């Protein structure tokens, strides 16, 4: 019996898939924050390289992955798809459960899929330095390594609360050669203003984004880099779902009945789900795609679909997205990567159009699922990924009652090796449910 499909390096996708080409209704464009007119490439040139600006606005279905990027992808791609037989047995479910594991990347999450091309396109434009924000540190670590691969300098603003409570990821970023400061910091205008407005704040992604954008805009050799939300990031992540389609065939499966992925800014969800949505849209599949968000930052399930800013200081373009508002500061749940107030405009559009579903999950249910998963499969998933697993377990347990055998795929976006204190909190019975 087959346990995992690994594919060959030659099966790493040669192109990224852009769902904009296939949406029945085109997604609303980003707007200039001053004029409220659709954004033009010129509006972005101060902070992004041309290659990424072109991808951000592209409606081409397939965009070629540059050879130097594919070469680096070979370090961990294709990522494995597992049949979770031990988890099925532990649950006693007739469901057939599969999981696609992105924790095999050197940094431990899917984020390197986008960090590498982002650094590469910046290098092509002659940029020397990238600035970014990070929460728990997964994105910062991914960009730090990608910058190291291409000889770029990397400056990271890390949400102060995580900077203090999660020192290992900071050490990881510094090991890869990045400079890391807590946000809001004294280094930027917006940071100083935020410290005055919210004394003693533990920070937020929205605040750290403001600082990183300001730093890039003031340095002609620098670009800003975002780890999720934007169209080009969801594009890069499409390698996940393209591999999944091939790997399910190796197990003799058609398209899944249901696909669960966690949603913070929406990039790993988009990456695994959009190639499957394409199958749905072309009539070859009828997969339910379920976005799993934390109850503490429920942008899809409780937010408003509107034009909103991506950051606290209102430096970003206006994006049409499900949002809790840029001043929203979520409870300090362990899944730092899911604590964002907004949602990818493409994921938001898919949700608005009824092409995907969404649920919210409290963190104790998420960690209970993560512990069940790790005791059966061995892998300790990232705190964020536990939300996807919890959603899938709900359906797998329901199958026990109905006696049906749905094919369920879980996107396990990362490893939890650096989230062990969160597991300890759960096992001690001290974890709060916000
Ligand atoms: C950052 C992160 C997430 C959330 O980001 P998305 O853009 O929603 O994918 C989820 N899982 C892991 C492991 C992460 O590092």
């Amino acid at each position: 019996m087959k346990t995992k499909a690994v594919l060959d390096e030659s099966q790493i996708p040669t192109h990224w898939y852009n769902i904009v080409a296939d949406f029945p209704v085109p997604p609303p464009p980003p707007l200039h924050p001053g004029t409220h007119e659709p954004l033009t490439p010129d509006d972005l040139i101060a902070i992004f390289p041309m290659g990424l600006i072109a991808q951000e606005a592209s409606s081409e279905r397939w965009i070629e992955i540059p050879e130097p990027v594919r070469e680096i992808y070979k370090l961990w791609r294709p990522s494995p798809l597992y049949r979770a037989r031990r988890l099925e047995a532990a649950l006693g479910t007739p469901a057939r459960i599969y999981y696609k594991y992105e924790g095999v990347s050197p940094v431990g999450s899917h984020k390197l899929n986008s960090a590498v091309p982002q650094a590469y396109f910046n290098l092509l434009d002659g940029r020397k330095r990238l600035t970014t924000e990070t929460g728990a540190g997964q994105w910062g670590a991914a960009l730090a390594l990608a910058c190291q691969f291409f000889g770029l300098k990397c400056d990271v603003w890390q949400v102060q609360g995580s900077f203090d409570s999660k020192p290992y990821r900071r050490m990881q970023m510094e090991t890869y050669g990045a400079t890391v400061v807590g946000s809001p910091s004294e280094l930027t205008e917006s940071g100083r203003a935020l410290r005055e407005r919210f004394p003693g704040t533990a920070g937020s992604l929205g605040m750290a984004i403001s600082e990183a954008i300001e730093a890039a805009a003031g340095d002609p050799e620098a670009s800003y880099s975002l780890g999720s939300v934007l169209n080009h990031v969801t594009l890069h992540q499409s390698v996940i779902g393209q591999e999944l389609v091939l790997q399910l065939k190796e197990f003799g499966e058609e398209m899944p009945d249901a696909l669960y992925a966690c949603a913070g800014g929406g990039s790993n969800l988009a990456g695994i789900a959009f190639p499957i949505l394409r199958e749905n849209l072309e009539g070859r599949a009828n997969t339910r795609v379920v976005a799993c968000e934390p109850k503490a930052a429920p942008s899809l399930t409780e937010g408003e679909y509107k034009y909103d800013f991506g950051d606290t200081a209102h430096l970003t373009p206006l994006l049409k997205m499900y949002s809790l508002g840029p001043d929203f500061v979520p409870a300090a749940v362990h899944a730092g990567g899911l604590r964002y107030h907004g949602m990818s405009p493409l994921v938001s559009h898919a949700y608005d159009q009824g092409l995907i579903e969404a649920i919210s999950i409290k963190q104790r249910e998420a960690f209970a699922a993560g512990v069940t998963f790790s005791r059966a499969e061995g892998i300790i998933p990232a705190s964020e990924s536990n939300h996807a697993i919890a959603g899938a377990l709900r359906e797998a347990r329901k199958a026990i009652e109905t006696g049906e055998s749905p094919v369920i795929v879980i996107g396990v976006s990362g490893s939890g090796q650096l989230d062990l204190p969160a597991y300890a909190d759960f096992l001690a019975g001290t974890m709060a449910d916000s």
Side-chain angles (χ1 to χ4, degrees):
M1 282 191 303
K2 198 173 178 64
T3 298
K4 65 184 186 304
V6 289
L7 302 180
D8 188 75
E9 285 177 4
S10 63
Q11 292 168 290
I12 296 172
T14 56
H15 292 71
W16 290 301
Y17 168 63
N18 182 8
I19 196 170
V20 172
D22 288 323
F23 272 135
V25 174
L31 303 182
H32 188 282
T35 63
H36 287 216
E37 291 295 320
L39 215 59
T40 65
D42 281 352
D43 298 326
L44 294 174
I45 209 130
I47 57 168
F48 288 125
M50 272 321 293
L52 297 179
I53 292 171
Q55 291 170 12
E56 191 60 27
S58 175
S59 53
E60 293 277 303
R61 182 172 292 111
W62 301 105
I63 295 174
E64 192 170 4
I65 304 176
E67 203 46 43
V69 172
R70 281 189 89 229
E71 279 301 313
I72 293 178
Y73 276 173
K74 285 181 189 167
L75 286 174
W76 73 98
R77 305 216 70 82
S79 70
L81 178 74
Y82 291 86
R83 171 85 185 265
R85 294 184 199 277
R86 288 165 203 281
L87 179 63
E88 292 166 18
L91 298 169
T93 178
R96 299 203 292 284
I97 305 175
Y98 294 86
Y99 58 97
K100 176 84 168 145
Y101 186 48
E102 290 297 307
V104 293
S105 92
V107 299
S109 79
H110 68 286
K111 295 231 168 59
L112 203 55
N113 297 329
S114 183
V116 170
Q118 289 196 39
Y120 174 75
F121 285 107
N122 275 291
L123 180 75
L124 283 192
D125 271 18
R127 310 275 167 119
K128 303 268 190 302
R129 167 182 175 232
L130 294 187
T131 69
T132 197
E133 74 292 332
T134 197
Q138 291 106 321
W139 170 245
L143 194 69
L145 179 57
C147 283
Q148 188 57 238
F149 284 147
F150 292 113
L152 303 174
K153 190 172 177 318
C154 182
D155 291 328
V156 182
W157 274 263
Q158 180 169 27
V159 176
Q160 187 68 47
S162 302
F163 183 88
D164 294 332
S165 66
K166 298 186 174 163
Y168 291 112
R169 206 91 64 178
R170 170 164 53 79
M171 295 173 195
Q172 187 185 13
M173 292 184 262
E174 289 169 347
T175 301
Y176 290 140
T179 305
V180 188
V181 293
S183 166
S185 75
E186 289 288 343
L187 300 180
T188 65
E189 193 95 16
S190 41
R192 290 187 290 272
L194 286 162
R195 285 164 76 102
E196 205 160 297
R197 193 168 144 211
F198 306 104
T201 178
S204 71
L205 279 173
M207 295 182 194
I209 293 173
S210 299
E211 291 204 89
I213 292 181
E214 183 189 321
D219 175 357
E221 297 207 316
S223 279
Y224 165 69
S225 190
L226 187 63
S228 185
V229 181
L230 297 181
N231 297 5
H232 65 270
V233 186
T234 63
L235 177 81
H236 301 153
Q237 295 296 348
S238 68
V239 290
I240 306 173
Q242 292 185 66
E243 290 174 3
L244 171 63
V245 170
L246 299 179
Q247 287 166 315
L248 282 167
K249 288 198 185 111
E250 290 209 348
F251 280 102
E253 298 284 9
E254 304 295 319
M255 289 297 108
D257 295 294
L259 173 65
Y260 288 83
C262 66
S267 72
N268 89 89
L269 167 78
I272 194 167
F274 284 176
I276 302 284
L277 276 191
R278 171 166 186 253
E279 301 294 308
N280 280 356
L281 290 167
E282 299 197 346
R284 290 189 295 270
N286 193 13
T287 302
R288 287 172 42 239
V289 172
V290 186
C292 303
E293 46 181 28
K295 186 70 186 164
S299 31
L300 287 172
T301 50
E302 293 176 42
E304 205 186 319
Y305 189 39
K306 60 178 180 190
Y307 274 102
D308 203 359
F309 289 99
D311 73 318
T312 314
H314 298 186
L315 300 178
T316 67
L318 285 162
L319 304 174
K320 181 93 184 252
M321 61 182 177
Y322 282 87
S323 174
L324 299 158
D327 286 337
F328 178 79
V329 178
V333 290
H334 289 287
L338 303 183
R339 296 176 68 227
Y340 185 59
H341 69 271
M343 182 55 66
S344 140
L346 295 182
V347 170
S348 295
H349 183 62
Y351 185 60
D352 180 61
Q353 295 286 305
L355 302 175
I356 66 172
E357 303 169 21
I359 57 176
S360 69
I361 288 178
K362 291 186 177 178
Q363 67 171 349
R364 281 211 291 266
E365 181 184 346
F367 275 83
V371 168
T372 300
F373 183 93
S374 57
R375 289 181 182 176
E377 297 293 322
I379 288 167
I380 299 181
S383 308
E384 293 83 4
S385 314
N386 284 344
H387 293 74
I389 296 169
L393 290 203
R394 284 185 190 177
E395 178 158 349
R397 290 192 169 112
K398 206 160 70 199
I400 301 172
E401 289 156 37
T402 63
E404 286 167 9
S405 310
V407 173
I408 300 173
V409 174
I410 311 171
V412 177
S413 49
S415 152
Q417 296 289 346
L418 291 184
D419 295 341
L420 288 174
Y423 280 86
D425 187 19
F426 175 76
L427 294 172
T430 48
M431 180 176 277
D433 251 349
S434 55

